[in-house]
Amino acid sequence: MILDTLGVGFLGTSTEVFQKAREYSKIYSSNVSSTVWGQPDFRLPPTYAAFVNGVAVHSMDFDDTWYPATHPSGAVLPVLMALSEALPPSPKCSGLDLLLAFNVGIEVQGRLMHFSKEAKDIPKRFHPPSVVGTLGSAAAASKFLGLSMTECQEALAIAVSHAGAPMANAATQTKPLHVGNAARHGLEAAFLAMLGLQGNKQVLDMESGFGAFYANYAPKILPDVDSHTWLLDQQDVAFKLFPAHLATHWVADAAASVRKQLVRDRALLPTDHMERIVLRIPDVQYVNRPFPDSEPEARHSFQYVACAMLLDGAITASSFHKHQVNRPRVRELLGKVELEHPQDNLPNFNTLYCEISVALKDGAIFTERSDTFYGHWRKPLSQKDLQEKFRANACRMLSCHTVERLIEIVENLEDLEDCSVLTALLKEPSPPEIVSKSL
């Protein structure tokens, strides 16, 4: 086997596809590099900068969520930031260029998901960002790089062969790789298309193409450019106030309401008097984790989020640290949680609800229901609260001045003449006091 593999490998170096792969790989030995966000002394080739920044975006499950279900931005923005830095300084890439390519990357994901009924439900078989995100990354990169129509078709065809990741790795440290890989593979597909690598240009129209990911995939002709309306004009995305699976945010909302009835005047939650906690939620198995034992598992646990909110009255990034997850009072409460799956509560981010009932030993029962949490696309965050979330997250790595400058630039991105102004801020050295705190 070894001898045969070496022989066919030597022979394969004479093929056209090998020559194109070799040309593409030269990128890694060139001086072209892009910033790893917040790491001023660490630069990578564009595809790997997109990869590690994409991993960072999804590493805490804190990134935006759309409907049909996917995390749309994490596979696209790291690609465009990497490209805007790696491309030649002339002609300059403007903020408007970046905005348009970003919207193209989001739009492609949404259009593909709207071609499938299955995509509207919370996924069971594969993680959507690893599929539609890869296509969105390729589309955004193709637009930003100015590829021809034929090259765009080739890029999407190549990207389809890069797509896919099973849901079995949800609630593990591997899940964030799905978004990082989507960013990397989409950009890689665009680069390979530029070098002339060919795929099946009808791949998005075929059951054996993109339809391989969806059992009921039914592609339609896209609307005419002149009459086209962007999907983001029709529906907002959900922005999370704490880093956990989106479905747990309904649980947290309902649990917070119940806590207000149980806890008065800053008293402790009467756990000794609590007999059981019933959560009436959709049947989503990978978020059903009765006794999570790690940060990723806790972020994907209906039970943990309910108990943490009941105990603490708030959920933050630190709520998922292992010592918080393993608190004795938390483990005691987890043992009292029961799940019910009402037939009308379908696993769908647009229609699901959470009802929580806490029964005390004296027979009293306290029940609350959440149909829409604050941050959902039906109840979006205010611009002020979105900015506060950004400040809280970014100030761990950047100075206050840089954080405020980033807010100003992003909110006026269409007026930015040169994207290098933005990318320069992403690699600003951390102030000494921030570095010492992180250490």
PDB file of all heavy atoms in Angstrom, residues 19 24 28 43 53 59 65 113-114 120 149 196 239 323 328 335 351 398:
ATOM      1  N   GLN A  19      -1.061  20.889 -10.287  1.00  0.00           N
ATOM      2  CA  GLN A  19      -0.385  22.163 -10.561  1.00  0.00           C
ATOM      3  C   GLN A  19      -1.157  23.331  -9.957  1.00  0.00           C
ATOM      4  O   GLN A  19      -0.569  24.264  -9.404  1.00  0.00           O
ATOM      5  CB  GLN A  19      -0.228  22.357 -12.076  1.00  0.00           C
ATOM      6  CG  GLN A  19       0.629  21.292 -12.760  1.00  0.00           C
ATOM      7  CD  GLN A  19       2.044  21.227 -12.217  1.00  0.00           C
ATOM      8  OE1 GLN A  19       2.616  22.240 -11.807  1.00  0.00           O
ATOM      9  NE2 GLN A  19       2.622  20.029 -12.197  1.00  0.00           N
ATOM     10  N   TYR A  24      -1.807  27.343  -5.596  1.00  0.00           N
ATOM     11  CA  TYR A  24      -2.571  27.882  -4.471  1.00  0.00           C
ATOM     12  C   TYR A  24      -1.738  27.828  -3.187  1.00  0.00           C
ATOM     13  O   TYR A  24      -1.714  28.776  -2.388  1.00  0.00           O
ATOM     14  CB  TYR A  24      -3.867  27.090  -4.295  1.00  0.00           C
ATOM     15  CG  TYR A  24      -4.512  27.324  -2.954  1.00  0.00           C
ATOM     16  CD1 TYR A  24      -5.086  28.560  -2.645  1.00  0.00           C
ATOM     17  CD2 TYR A  24      -4.510  26.341  -1.980  1.00  0.00           C
ATOM     18  CE1 TYR A  24      -5.641  28.791  -1.405  1.00  0.00           C
ATOM     19  CE2 TYR A  24      -5.074  26.564  -0.741  1.00  0.00           C
ATOM     20  CZ  TYR A  24      -5.634  27.789  -0.458  1.00  0.00           C
ATOM     21  OH  TYR A  24      -6.181  28.016   0.778  1.00  0.00           O
ATOM     22  N   TYR A  28       1.077  30.271   1.027  1.00  0.00           N
ATOM     23  CA  TYR A  28       1.562  30.079   2.386  1.00  0.00           C
ATOM     24  C   TYR A  28       3.057  30.345   2.527  1.00  0.00           C
ATOM     25  O   TYR A  28       3.562  30.479   3.637  1.00  0.00           O
ATOM     26  CB  TYR A  28       1.233  28.663   2.857  1.00  0.00           C
ATOM     27  CG  TYR A  28      -0.256  28.430   2.902  1.00  0.00           C
ATOM     28  CD1 TYR A  28      -0.850  27.486   2.085  1.00  0.00           C
ATOM     29  CD2 TYR A  28      -1.051  29.191   3.735  1.00  0.00           C
ATOM     30  CE1 TYR A  28      -2.214  27.297   2.103  1.00  0.00           C
ATOM     31  CE2 TYR A  28      -2.423  29.017   3.761  1.00  0.00           C
ATOM     32  CZ  TYR A  28      -3.001  28.070   2.947  1.00  0.00           C
ATOM     33  OH  TYR A  28      -4.346  27.897   2.965  1.00  0.00           O
ATOM     34  N   ARG A  43       0.541  36.844  12.863  1.00  0.00           N
ATOM     35  CA  ARG A  43      -0.115  36.984  11.572  1.00  0.00           C
ATOM     36  C   ARG A  43      -0.096  35.633  10.859  1.00  0.00           C
ATOM     37  O   ARG A  43       0.802  34.812  11.075  1.00  0.00           O
ATOM     38  CB  ARG A  43       0.566  38.059  10.729  1.00  0.00           C
ATOM     39  CG  ARG A  43       0.510  39.450  11.343  1.00  0.00           C
ATOM     40  CD  ARG A  43       1.277  40.463  10.506  1.00  0.00           C
ATOM     41  NE  ARG A  43       0.694  40.643   9.185  1.00  0.00           N
ATOM     42  CZ  ARG A  43      -0.335  41.455   8.932  1.00  0.00           C
ATOM     43  NH1 ARG A  43      -0.887  42.154   9.903  1.00  0.00           N
ATOM     44  NH2 ARG A  43      -0.798  41.578   7.702  1.00  0.00           N
ATOM     45  N   ASN A  53      -9.911  33.260  13.282  1.00  0.00           N
ATOM     46  CA  ASN A  53     -10.865  34.291  13.682  1.00  0.00           C
ATOM     47  C   ASN A  53     -12.289  33.753  13.645  1.00  0.00           C
ATOM     48  O   ASN A  53     -13.129  34.130  14.481  1.00  0.00           O
ATOM     49  CB  ASN A  53     -10.722  35.524  12.790  1.00  0.00           C
ATOM     50  CG  ASN A  53      -9.427  36.277  13.053  1.00  0.00           C
ATOM     51  OD1 ASN A  53      -8.919  36.278  14.175  1.00  0.00           O
ATOM     52  ND2 ASN A  53      -8.870  36.906  12.027  1.00  0.00           N
ATOM     53  N   SER A  59     -16.520  30.366  19.334  1.00  0.00           N
ATOM     54  CA  SER A  59     -15.925  29.567  20.406  1.00  0.00           C
ATOM     55  C   SER A  59     -16.785  29.506  21.663  1.00  0.00           C
ATOM     56  O   SER A  59     -16.694  28.545  22.435  1.00  0.00           O
ATOM     57  CB  SER A  59     -14.537  30.108  20.754  1.00  0.00           C
ATOM     58  OG  SER A  59     -14.637  31.440  21.232  1.00  0.00           O
ATOM     59  N   THR A  65     -27.573  34.549  15.315  1.00  0.00           N
ATOM     60  CA  THR A  65     -28.332  33.408  14.796  1.00  0.00           C
ATOM     61  C   THR A  65     -29.438  33.934  13.903  1.00  0.00           C
ATOM     62  O   THR A  65     -30.063  34.951  14.202  1.00  0.00           O
ATOM     63  CB  THR A  65     -28.941  32.582  15.940  1.00  0.00           C
ATOM     64  OG1 THR A  65     -27.911  32.239  16.868  1.00  0.00           O
ATOM     65  CG2 THR A  65     -29.579  31.307  15.406  1.00  0.00           C
ATOM     66  N   MET A 113     -31.035  28.243   2.348  1.00  0.00           N
ATOM     67  CA  MET A 113     -31.858  27.649   3.401  1.00  0.00           C
ATOM     68  C   MET A 113     -33.346  27.758   3.091  1.00  0.00           C
ATOM     69  O   MET A 113     -34.133  26.894   3.480  1.00  0.00           O
ATOM     70  CB  MET A 113     -31.542  28.299   4.744  1.00  0.00           C
ATOM     71  CG  MET A 113     -30.161  27.920   5.272  1.00  0.00           C
ATOM     72  SD  MET A 113     -29.872  28.508   6.948  1.00  0.00           S
ATOM     73  CE  MET A 113     -29.888  30.283   6.681  1.00  0.00           C
ATOM     74  N   HIS A 114     -33.739  28.807   2.378  1.00  0.00           N
ATOM     75  CA  HIS A 114     -35.148  28.949   2.023  1.00  0.00           C
ATOM     76  C   HIS A 114     -35.575  27.948   0.949  1.00  0.00           C
ATOM     77  O   HIS A 114     -36.763  27.824   0.653  1.00  0.00           O
ATOM     78  CB  HIS A 114     -35.434  30.381   1.556  1.00  0.00           C
ATOM     79  CG  HIS A 114     -35.723  31.319   2.686  1.00  0.00           C
ATOM     80  ND1 HIS A 114     -34.724  31.916   3.432  1.00  0.00           N
ATOM     81  CD2 HIS A 114     -36.884  31.756   3.222  1.00  0.00           C
ATOM     82  CE1 HIS A 114     -35.273  32.689   4.362  1.00  0.00           C
ATOM     83  NE2 HIS A 114     -36.576  32.606   4.267  1.00  0.00           N
ATOM     84  N   LYS A 120     -35.700  24.897   8.137  1.00  0.00           N
ATOM     85  CA  LYS A 120     -36.425  25.787   9.041  1.00  0.00           C
ATOM     86  C   LYS A 120     -36.447  25.275  10.484  1.00  0.00           C
ATOM     87  O   LYS A 120     -36.732  26.031  11.405  1.00  0.00           O
ATOM     88  CB  LYS A 120     -37.847  26.001   8.521  1.00  0.00           C
ATOM     89  CG  LYS A 120     -37.881  26.749   7.196  1.00  0.00           C
ATOM     90  CD  LYS A 120     -39.300  27.009   6.714  1.00  0.00           C
ATOM     91  CE  LYS A 120     -39.285  27.781   5.397  1.00  0.00           C
ATOM     92  NZ  LYS A 120     -40.640  28.035   4.876  1.00  0.00           N
ATOM     93  N   MET A 149     -18.484  35.787 -13.404  1.00  0.00           N
ATOM     94  CA  MET A 149     -19.614  34.909 -13.134  1.00  0.00           C
ATOM     95  C   MET A 149     -19.170  33.442 -13.155  1.00  0.00           C
ATOM     96  O   MET A 149     -19.552  32.654 -12.281  1.00  0.00           O
ATOM     97  CB  MET A 149     -20.736  35.134 -14.141  1.00  0.00           C
ATOM     98  CG  MET A 149     -21.937  34.229 -13.898  1.00  0.00           C
ATOM     99  SD  MET A 149     -23.235  34.404 -15.139  1.00  0.00           S
ATOM    100  CE  MET A 149     -23.816  36.050 -14.777  1.00  0.00           C
ATOM    101  N   GLY A 196      -8.425  28.690 -11.814  1.00  0.00           N
ATOM    102  CA  GLY A 196      -8.989  27.907 -12.901  1.00  0.00           C
ATOM    103  C   GLY A 196      -9.465  26.522 -12.538  1.00  0.00           C
ATOM    104  O   GLY A 196      -9.864  25.744 -13.412  1.00  0.00           O
ATOM    105  N   PHE A 239     -29.449  38.443  18.373  1.00  0.00           N
ATOM    106  CA  PHE A 239     -28.194  38.717  19.056  1.00  0.00           C
ATOM    107  C   PHE A 239     -28.329  38.252  20.501  1.00  0.00           C
ATOM    108  O   PHE A 239     -29.276  38.616  21.190  1.00  0.00           O
ATOM    109  CB  PHE A 239     -27.865  40.215  19.018  1.00  0.00           C
ATOM    110  CG  PHE A 239     -27.614  40.737  17.636  1.00  0.00           C
ATOM    111  CD1 PHE A 239     -28.566  41.504  16.979  1.00  0.00           C
ATOM    112  CD2 PHE A 239     -26.429  40.465  16.981  1.00  0.00           C
ATOM    113  CE1 PHE A 239     -28.345  41.986  15.708  1.00  0.00           C
ATOM    114  CE2 PHE A 239     -26.198  40.947  15.704  1.00  0.00           C
ATOM    115  CZ  PHE A 239     -27.148  41.708  15.064  1.00  0.00           C
ATOM    116  N   HIS A 323     -16.167  25.711  37.395  1.00  0.00           N
ATOM    117  CA  HIS A 323     -16.438  25.759  38.838  1.00  0.00           C
ATOM    118  C   HIS A 323     -17.843  26.262  39.134  1.00  0.00           C
ATOM    119  O   HIS A 323     -18.430  25.922  40.164  1.00  0.00           O
ATOM    120  CB  HIS A 323     -15.391  26.629  39.557  1.00  0.00           C
ATOM    121  CG  HIS A 323     -15.482  28.087  39.246  1.00  0.00           C
ATOM    122  ND1 HIS A 323     -14.843  28.661  38.161  1.00  0.00           N
ATOM    123  CD2 HIS A 323     -16.150  29.105  39.865  1.00  0.00           C
ATOM    124  CE1 HIS A 323     -15.091  29.956  38.140  1.00  0.00           C
ATOM    125  NE2 HIS A 323     -15.880  30.249  39.148  1.00  0.00           N
ATOM    126  N   PRO A 328     -22.330  22.816  44.198  1.00  0.00           N
ATOM    127  CA  PRO A 328     -23.259  21.871  44.826  1.00  0.00           C
ATOM    128  C   PRO A 328     -24.727  22.282  44.689  1.00  0.00           C
ATOM    129  O   PRO A 328     -25.594  21.425  44.447  1.00  0.00           O
ATOM    130  CB  PRO A 328     -22.817  21.861  46.294  1.00  0.00           C
ATOM    131  CG  PRO A 328     -21.356  22.206  46.242  1.00  0.00           C
ATOM    132  CD  PRO A 328     -21.230  23.187  45.119  1.00  0.00           C
ATOM    133  N   GLY A 335     -30.894  17.971  39.690  1.00  0.00           N
ATOM    134  CA  GLY A 335     -31.562  16.711  40.009  1.00  0.00           C
ATOM    135  C   GLY A 335     -33.071  16.840  40.128  1.00  0.00           C
ATOM    136  O   GLY A 335     -33.772  15.818  40.150  1.00  0.00           O
ATOM    137  N   THR A 351     -40.898  29.639  16.206  1.00  0.00           N
ATOM    138  CA  THR A 351     -42.184  29.346  16.855  1.00  0.00           C
ATOM    139  C   THR A 351     -42.059  28.762  18.253  1.00  0.00           C
ATOM    140  O   THR A 351     -43.055  28.688  18.976  1.00  0.00           O
ATOM    141  CB  THR A 351     -42.988  28.351  16.004  1.00  0.00           C
ATOM    142  OG1 THR A 351     -42.250  27.113  15.888  1.00  0.00           O
ATOM    143  CG2 THR A 351     -43.247  28.906  14.613  1.00  0.00           C
ATOM    144  N   LEU A 398      -8.835  45.274  23.889  1.00  0.00           N
ATOM    145  CA  LEU A 398      -8.488  46.557  23.285  1.00  0.00           C
ATOM    146  C   LEU A 398      -8.695  47.699  24.278  1.00  0.00           C
ATOM    147  O   LEU A 398      -9.459  47.575  25.235  1.00  0.00           O
ATOM    148  CB  LEU A 398      -9.354  46.795  22.037  1.00  0.00           C
ATOM    149  CG  LEU A 398      -9.282  45.733  20.934  1.00  0.00           C
ATOM    150  CD1 LEU A 398     -10.328  46.029  19.869  1.00  0.00           C
ATOM    151  CD2 LEU A 398      -7.885  45.692  20.320  1.00  0.00           C
TER     152      LEU A 398
END
